[in-house]
Amino acid sequence: MGYADAVRGRFITFEGAEGVGKTTQITRAAAHLRARGIEPLVTREPGGTPLAEKLRALVLEPGQGAVGATAELLIMFAARASHVTDVIRPALEAGRCVLCDRFTDATEAYQGGGRGVEPDWIRALAGIAHPGLLPDLTIVFDAPAEVARARISTRGFGEDRIEAEDTAFFERVRRAYLAIAAREPKRVQVVDATRPEAAVAASVAVLLDAVVAGMDR
Ligand code: Z5A
């Protein structure tokens, strides 16, 4: 059961490897909800609070020197603890619909699948950073790594530290996301992100409508 079931709000996360179109789709999803009379809170990870945004810059900006897998893992969860305590839980408790660009599944996919961090460490830290909180719905946008990388290569700004990883890293990330979806088919829905934007958005709208049904407006 999603935490939000108990507190009226809805917690919806957008996941997938870099460049699959999460940011594009979260904007469209917010517009879709507004048209239904729901004003969502749109946020992102790592980030979403002043502290977490500083941690984001530290962990993603190139030129910080070496950042080992364990340091990267702990920074992601430090940012998450701040975000959950100060933004996500209060919004859910107030009955809001929270749309979050990445959450703990990203840690499982990137630090777990990509870097090989022990799954038990990730589970333990999740239990500390957000006890009892799971998304009501997670949408995994799925595309081969080459498709996603071709998209971001046209966007006109440089790569962050993790984006600079090779294609094999992003294929491991993709496989980790598909494994999460296979393990939790009720919470996690995979959407084919290789289709045109509007077609992807139509699939997302169906999933959103199902999860916000019955919310107070
Ligand atoms: N990270 C981590 O390692 N562990 C964690 O626990 C967390 C995060 C929470 C920041 O994530 C990094 O942090 C990320 C994982 C790591 N690093 N990487 N790699 P982020 O979400 O801020 O950054 P990102 O994953 O790299 O996302 P992105 O580059 O912003 O891509 P996106 O949001 O998925 O895609 P987009 O910006 O919407 O679209 C990319 C381009 O494709 C753009 O030009 C669009 O116009 C175009 N686009 C979008 N949809 C389509 C379709 N359907 N067809 C064609 N073109 C499209």
Side-chain angles (χ1 to χ4, degrees), residues 19-24 56 80 102 107 111 155 163 195:
V20 287
K22 297 176 309 304
T23 310
T24 304
R56 176 189 178 93
R80 184 161 300 133
R102 301 190 179 282
T107 314
Q111 282 65 53
R155 108 183 130 176
E163 284 170 353
R195 295 170 298 151

Side-chain angles (χ1 to χ4, degrees), residues 10-11 20-21 59 62 85 101 103 128 159-160 172 190 204 208:
R10 296 289 186 277
F11 184 30
V20 287
V59 77
T85 302
D101 195 337
F103 195 61
I128 295 166
E159 290 177 326
D160 68 34
R172 291 199 297 282
V190 179
V204 171
L208 290 176

Side-chain angles (χ1 to χ4, degrees), residues 13-17 20-22 25 137-144 151 174 177-178 181 187-208:
T13 56
F14 290 63
E15 296 279 4
V20 287
K22 297 176 309 304
Q25 292 300 329
L137 168 68
T138 295
I139 305 172
V140 171
F141 296 90
D142 181 56
R151 285 181 188 169
R174 181 187 186 199
Y177 273 124
L178 295 176
R187 172 177 70 87
V188 184
Q189 302 296 323
V190 179
V191 164
D192 175 1
T194 62
R195 295 170 298 151
E197 252 181 68
V200 177
S203 300
V204 171
V206 170
L207 297 170
L208 290 176

